[in-house]
Amino acid sequence: MKIRLESQEDYLEVENLVRDSFWNVYRPGAYEHYIVHNLRDDDSFIPDLDYVIECDGRIIGHINYSVGSMDYGDEKTDAVVLGPIAIHKDYQNLGLGSKLIEYTLNLAEKKGIPFIVVIGDENYYHRFDFVSASNYDLYLDGTDTSEECPFFMIKIFDESKVKNKRGIFFNPYVFDVDENDVDEFDKKFEYREKLVLKGQLGV
């Protein structure tokens, strides 16, 4: 097993991996593989934090980072966001996602990135020292700023770069997708049925 940078030759294999990992998990079908596809050509993409896990010549994990924005009202600053991250379903619960996250977070710190935000399961990301961003009066766009938003978290490398005032985080625009565009993109992949399942967002 090795962790290495994604190459152009990996693109389709990675998109299939991401698609399979997220299919029918958060919604019927998936958007994440389309986001990964579009990110590579977007200015927000951080190519030197775009990594895969390879095992026996097969890609079984992928992670990327991109640059969103933190709006403090009177000014905006860059804010790096982790994800999507995907691990092949046959290799989940083996600690490989943790290895990939820890490896790339170390690289992010060495690059001088002051903090990383993530949207996900707080019970999972707390192990990497992510904490609720509301502890720093930082909130995800579209959420209630009067309440804690536990699934929007932050890991800080440089406390001096976190402003002591309310901020609203906005994902890169490439994260906003049109379902019709996703459906058209999906035609290049093997057909899979979209299912409404208990536990999906809004279900």
Side-chain angles (χ1 to χ4, degrees), residues 85-188:
I85 175 173
I87 300 295
H88 192 285
K89 289 186 176 180
D90 292 344
Y91 293 85
Q92 291 178 2
N93 301 313
L94 299 176
L96 298 180
S98 293
K99 288 182 183 296
L100 199 51
I101 291 171
E102 289 168 352
Y103 184 87
T104 52
L105 285 176
N106 286 334
L107 291 176
E109 183 175 17
K110 290 175 182 176
K111 281 173 60 66
I113 293 173
F115 60 85
I116 304 285
V117 297
V118 69
I119 302 160
D121 181 357
E122 64 272 20
N123 295 317
Y124 180 74
Y125 284 99
H126 282 171
R127 72 186 68 178
F128 310 107
D129 297 324
F130 280 90
V131 299
S132 175
S134 59
N135 293 350
Y136 295 87
D137 209 15
L138 303 176
Y139 297 88
L140 177 64
D141 173 45
T143 61
D144 188 347
T145 58
S146 67
E147 298 180 358
E148 182 182 8
C149 180
F151 57 85
F152 179 57
M153 292 158 280
I154 188 168
K155 179 179 175 70
I156 298 174
F157 299 121
D158 185 349
E159 290 273 356
S160 70
K161 297 295 176 64
V162 180
K163 301 183 183 298
N164 188 28
K165 55 184 176 180
R166 175 158 299 179
I168 306 297
F169 173 75
F170 291 83
N171 271 314
Y173 292 117
V174 72
F175 279 67
D176 295 326
V177 300
D178 183 288
E179 189 170 354
N180 292 323
D181 293 337
V182 179
D183 288 342
E184 185 64 30
F185 180 66
D186 256 342
K187 291 179 181 178
K188 67 186 284 189

